C-alpha cells in the first residue's frame, strides 16, 4: 500500500530526537519532585504578589518589548535595557538564536553533555551539531576549539552545565572566545548563574560588552518562576536587532513580565535561595561521595551522582521513586547511563535521598 498523501515536515525534522523531560510524579500523592531543578524555596513573595495583581489586566495585551521587565533586569544587573531581549523561557531565545544564525551547511559546536536542547534547535535550523568530548564531565576548551571549522557559526556553552553541574572559570571562557573567529557567535547559557559560589566564575555580561560575537542567556525558571516561563538575553545591538525581527510580538505574557520584574528586584530572596542551595548541595555531596558513589562537583542547584554501573543507577532510581522521591535519569537523554541527576530540595528530601542511597549501595 502506498503512503498517504499528506503535508510533510521539512527534511531532517523527523530525525530530531525530542526533548525528554524528567518524570513529574511518582506513585502516591506525596511524591517529591527532584527531577527538574526547580526552586526549593518556591517563588519570591513579591513575585507572587505581582503575578496575582496582573489578574486585573488579563484583557490587555502585554507591552510588546517587555519594557518593565527589561528595565528591572538592567537596574539589578547593571545592564543597558536596550540590549536585553526577553522570551518565553530561555528556550525561546535559544531557538531564535539558532534560527537566526544557523542554516543548511553550517555547524554548531557543543560539549558532549551539554544541554540537550542545543542539538534539537541546531538540527531544526538545518545545521549540523558537532559534539565534543569532555574532560571528566567538564567542557574542554582545547577540544572545543579543535572542532571549529570554517563551517562553524555558533558555539553553545552552558555555564554551569546541565546535567553535570560543572563550570568553566572566567579565564577559560575568555580563552575560548579569544580563539574564535569574530564571525562565530558564542552563546553563554547561564541558566544556573544565581546558584554559583565559585570565586573564579563570572557571568558573560562583561564579555558581551567587550566583544561583538557573544551573547548571554539567562532564565527565571531555576529561581522560582518555572511556571511563568521567563528567559532573557543580553547581547550586542546587532544581535538584539536581528532577534527582535523574528521573535513573537507578545512572546512574554503580562503576569510573567510583572512577576519577573518583582523577582529580579527581590535580591534578598535570591540570596536566600543561593545560600540554602549551597548548604544542602554541599551537604548532599559530602553524604553521597564515596561508598561506591561519586558526586561530580556542582555549581548548580543539582548534583550528578555516578554509580558503579548502569544497573545500580537504575535500581537507585526505582528505589527512590518507590519512596516518593522523583529524580532525573540521564541515560536516554544524555547517554550517561550510570548516573542520576538530583535537584536540591528541602532538608527532609535531601536527608531522605541520602539515607536511601547510602543503604542501597552498601547492600548492592
Amino acid at each position: 500500500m502506498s503512503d498517504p498523501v499528506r503535508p510533510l515536515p521539512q527534511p531532517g525534522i523527523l530525525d530530531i530526537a525530542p526533548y525528554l523531560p524528567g518524570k513529574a510524579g511518582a506513585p502516591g500523592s506525596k511524591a517529591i519532585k527532584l527531577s527538574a531543578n526547580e526552586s526549593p524555596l518556591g517563588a519570591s513573595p513579591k513575585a507572587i504578589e505581582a503575578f496575582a495583581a496582573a489578574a486585573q489586566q488579563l484583557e490587555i495585551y502585554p507591552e510588546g518589548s517587555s519594557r518593565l521587565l527589561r528595565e528591572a533586569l538592567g537596574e539589578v544587573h547593571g545592564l543597558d535595557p536596550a540590549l536585553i531581549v526577553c522570551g518565553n523561557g530561555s528556550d525561546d531565545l535559544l531557538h531564535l538564536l539558532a534560527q537566526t544564525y544557523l542554516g543548511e551547511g553550517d555547524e554548531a559546536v557543543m560539549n558532549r553533555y551539554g544541554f540537550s536542547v542545543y542539538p534539537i534547535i541546531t538540527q531544526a535550523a538545518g545545521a549540523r551539531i558537532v559534539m565534543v568530548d569532555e574532560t571528566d564531565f567538564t567542557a574542554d576548551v582545547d577540544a572545543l576549539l579543535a572542532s571549529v571549522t570554517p563551517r562553524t557559526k555558533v558555539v553553545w556553552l552552558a555555564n554551569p552545565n546541565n546535567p553535570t553541574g560543572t563550570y568553566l572559570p572566567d579565564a577559560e571562557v575568555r580563552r575560548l572566545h579569544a580563539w574564535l573567529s569574530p564571525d562565530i557567535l558564542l552563546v553563554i547559557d547561564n541558566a544556573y548563574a544565581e546558584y554559583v559560589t565559585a570565586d573564579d566564575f563570572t557571568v558573560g555580561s562583561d564579555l558581551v560588552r567587550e566583544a561583538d560575537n557573544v551573547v548571554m542567556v539567562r532564565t527565571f525558571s531555576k529561581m522560582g518562576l518555572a511556571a511563568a516561563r521567563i528567559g532573557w538575553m543580553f547581547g550586542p545591538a546587532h544581535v538584539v536587532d536581528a532577534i527582535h525581527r523574528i521573535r513573537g510580538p507578545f512572546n512574554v505574557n503580562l503576569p510573567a513580565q510583572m512577576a519577573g520584574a518583582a523577582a529580579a528586584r527581590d535580591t534578598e530572596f535570591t540570596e536566600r535561595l543561593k545560600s540554602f542551595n549551597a548548604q544542602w548541595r554541599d551537604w548532599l555531596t559530602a553524604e553521597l561521595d564515596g561508598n561506591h558513589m561519586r558526586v561530580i562537583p556542582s555549581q548548580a542547584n543539582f548534583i550528578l551522582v555516578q554509580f558503579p554501573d548502569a544497573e545500580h543507577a537504575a535500581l537507585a532510581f526505582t528505589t527512590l521513586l518507590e519512596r516518593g522521591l522523583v529524580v532525573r535519569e540521564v541515560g536516554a537523554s544524555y547517554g550517561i547511563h550510570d548516573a542520576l541527576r538530583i535537584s536540591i530540595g528541602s532538608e527532609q528530601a535531601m536527608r531522605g535521598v541520602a539515607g536511601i542511597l547510602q543503604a542501597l549501595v552498601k547492600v548492592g
Side-chain angles (χ1 to χ4, degrees), residues 96-113:
L96 291 171
L97 287 166
Q99 187 178 350
T100 303
Y101 292 99
L102 292 172
E104 287 289 338
D106 295 334
E107 294 178 351
V109 171
M110 64 171 284
N111 46 299
R112 175 68 58 187
Y113 302 123

Side-chain angles (χ1 to χ4, degrees), residues 13-59:
I13 294 296
L14 297 183
D15 295 329
I16 298 173
Y19 178 78
L20 297 175
K23 285 184 178 291
S29 60
K30 296 184 178 180
I32 298 174
K33 185 181 175 188
L34 302 171
S35 59
N37 305 335
E38 295 154 336
S39 163
L41 300 182
S44 156
K46 295 179 181 178
I48 295 173
E49 182 180 353
F51 191 94
Q56 306 304 314
Q57 305 178 56
L58 295 184
E59 77 282 7

Side-chain angles (χ1 to χ4, degrees), residues 7-288:
L8 295 175
Q10 287 291 319
I13 294 296
L14 297 183
D15 295 329
I16 298 173
Y19 178 78
L20 297 175
K23 285 184 178 291
S29 60
K30 296 184 178 180
I32 298 174
K33 185 181 175 188
L34 302 171
S35 59
N37 305 335
E38 295 154 336
S39 163
L41 300 182
S44 156
K46 295 179 181 178
I48 295 173
E49 182 180 353
F51 191 94
Q56 306 304 314
Q57 305 178 56
L58 295 184
E59 77 282 7
I60 300 172
Y61 278 107
E63 196 278 323
S65 74
S66 301
R67 178 178 58 82
L68 294 179
L69 176 54
R70 290 187 295 106
E71 288 176 351
L73 289 166
E75 171 190 319
V76 172
H77 297 283
L79 306 175
D80 182 354
L83 300 180
I84 295 174
V85 182
C86 297
N88 184 32
S90 58
D91 293 349
D92 180 26
L93 297 167
L94 294 171
H95 274 271
L96 291 171
L97 287 166
Q99 187 178 350
T100 303
Y101 292 99
L102 292 172
E104 287 289 338
D106 295 334
E107 294 178 351
V109 171
M110 64 171 284
N111 46 299
R112 175 68 58 187
Y113 302 123
F115 185 31
S116 61
V117 162
Y118 302 153
I120 293 173
I121 59 181
T122 297
Q123 288 180 265
R128 174 175 174 265
I129 191 73
V130 178
M131 290 278 195
V132 180
D133 288 335
E134 302 180 1
T135 298
D136 196 22
F137 294 105
T138 303
D140 185 320
V141 170
D142 292 317
L144 289 169
L145 290 171
S147 299
V148 171
T149 76
R151 293 176 179 265
T152 304
K153 300 302 179 189
V154 173
V155 175
W156 305 110
L157 179 69
N159 198 38
N161 186 58
N162 175 24
T164 62
T166 56
Y167 79 104
L168 290 183
D170 179 64
E172 281 294 274
V173 175
R174 287 180 174 276
R175 186 165 73 88
L176 171 63
H177 172 258
W179 287 94
L180 293 178
S181 170
D183 62 346
I184 297 175
L185 184 67
L186 174 60
V187 179
I188 304 174
D189 185 354
N190 287 151
Y192 299 92
E194 281 77 14
Y195 291 103
V196 177
T197 55
D199 293 336
D200 56 356
F201 171 86
T202 62
V203 296
S205 55
D206 285 343
L207 197 54
V208 173
R209 292 188 185 96
E210 298 166 16
D212 219 22
N213 63 333
V214 182
V215 297
M216 175 188 74
V217 179
R218 305 277 290 271
T219 182
F220 283 86
S221 294
K222 313 308 175 186
M223 47 188 292
L225 293 178
R229 308 304 301 127
I230 314 166
W232 60 284
M233 180 193 88
F234 177 62
H238 68 95
V239 175
V240 168
D241 174 64
I243 297 301
H244 275 314
R245 291 170 186 267
I246 64 169
R247 72 168 178 83
F250 305 105
N251 62 331
V252 182
N253 64 70
L254 178 62
Q257 289 186 32
M258 294 178 68
R265 290 190 171 102
D266 193 355
T267 55
E268 181 180 345
F269 176 82
T270 303
E271 282 300 313
R272 186 156 59 91
L273 191 60
K274 177 179 181 178
S275 177
F276 179 93
N277 179 79
Q279 176 186 350
W280 290 101
R281 180 186 66 198
D282 295 349
W283 181 88
L284 189 60
T285 296
E287 289 293 307
L288 297 184

Side-chain angles (χ1 to χ4, degrees), residues 303-318:
I303 60 172
L304 185 70
V305 184
Q306 270 192 302
F307 296 86
D309 49 44
E311 289 72 23
H312 276 82
L315 177 61
F317 176 82
T318 301

